[in-house]
Amino acid sequence: PVVVAGALHWVRSNLVEPSLAKLRYKPEAVTELIDLADDLADDHWQLRSHAAAAVTAAFEATPASEDVEALTAVKVKQRLLDSLLHLLARGEALAVLACMRRTAQSADLALMRYFVTEVVAMVAPPYAPDFLRALLDLLAQPRVAEALRAAEPRAQRAVVDVVGYTHQHMPSLVDDALVLLHDGLIERLSNVMQR
């Protein structure tokens, strides 16, 4: 475990260090680093939180615009999102959802839509209260609602189901933003059905 912790520290340093931004934003380089973090997280469950910390820090780090082309930055963020989803599925849901909530206002809408679509496709009730609270905090963000307007109907339906489940089983967690999101998605879904 000590060597793995050192390797995860090395991965984090390479993913986050500002002086390495040009190297980090080469898709092939970042893929190798993230693959290593994912593999280490799979093989060493006790260090998954360290892997999650490395990948969330990398996702939150934004390079200077002169260091990276926009399309390359989106590709790298996409790969980081895939790793975050992998870590979420391995038990690091709260850390991953907290990261996504912190970055929701600045994240690319397509990436946010992709993340939420994947999350709601992989989860099912009953939900742990802490997980549900973290997921709802993310869904209540205005940028997430904006991103979901263009989501596939199946993803919209899954979000409606999560909010509906919460309203039925833990109504104290449902706030006005979630009611607006729920009602807006229901309206969109009914418009799709009428076509």
Side-chain angles (χ1 to χ4, degrees):
V2 172
V3 173
V4 174
L8 286 169
H9 178 74
W10 177 81
V11 166
R12 181 185 177 130
S13 297
N14 279 280
L15 288 173
V16 176
E17 178 61 38
S19 64
L20 299 175
K22 287 185 181 182
L23 173 64
R24 173 174 69 245
Y25 278 87
K26 291 189 175 169
E28 61 278 356
V30 82
T31 294
E32 290 177 14
L33 290 168
I34 294 170
D35 286 348
L36 178 58
D38 287 347
D39 289 344
L40 293 173
D42 285 346
D43 294 341
H44 301 276
W45 62 267
Q46 55 289 50
L47 293 172
R48 283 188 186 139
S49 62
H50 295 273
V55 178
T56 58
F59 189 81
E60 292 175 9
T62 304
S65 58
E66 64 271 3
D67 288 341
V68 180
E69 292 180 22
L71 184 58
T72 301
V74 169
K75 286 181 183 176
V76 168
K77 292 286 188 180
Q78 171 75 43
R79 181 58 190 96
L80 288 164
L81 269 184
D82 288 337
S83 181
L84 289 172
L85 288 164
H86 175 82
L87 289 163
L88 183 140
R90 298 294 180 276
E92 292 300 319
L94 298 180
V96 170
L97 291 170
C99 168
M100 294 309 295
R101 186 183 186 293
R102 287 189 302 271
T103 60
Q105 294 309 321
S106 60
D108 179 83
L109 289 176
L111 292 177
M112 188 58 68
R113 181 171 42 255
Y114 170 75
F115 178 81
V116 171
T117 298
E118 292 297 314
V119 170
V120 297
M122 73 170 66
V123 300
Y127 306 105
D130 289 345
F131 170 80
L132 189 57
R133 192 171 295 108
L135 179 59
L136 294 174
D137 284 347
L138 176 62
L139 293 176
Q141 297 299 307
R143 286 279 284 180
V144 174
E146 185 179 349
L148 286 171
R149 286 187 200 128
E152 296 280 330
R154 184 177 5 184
Q156 292 178 345
R157 180 82 239 167
V159 171
V160 165
D161 290 346
V162 168
V163 176
Y165 173 90
T166 307
H167 184 68
Q168 185 177 20
H169 293 91
M170 294 180 229
S172 63
L173 296 180
V174 179
D175 63 10
D176 291 342
L178 288 169
V179 170
L180 286 173
L181 173 65
H182 179 270
D183 293 349
L185 291 176
I186 291 278
E187 184 178 325
R188 277 185 169 48
L189 288 167
S190 67
N191 289 340
V192 168
M193 297 300 283
Q194 291 176 0
R195 291 183 196 166

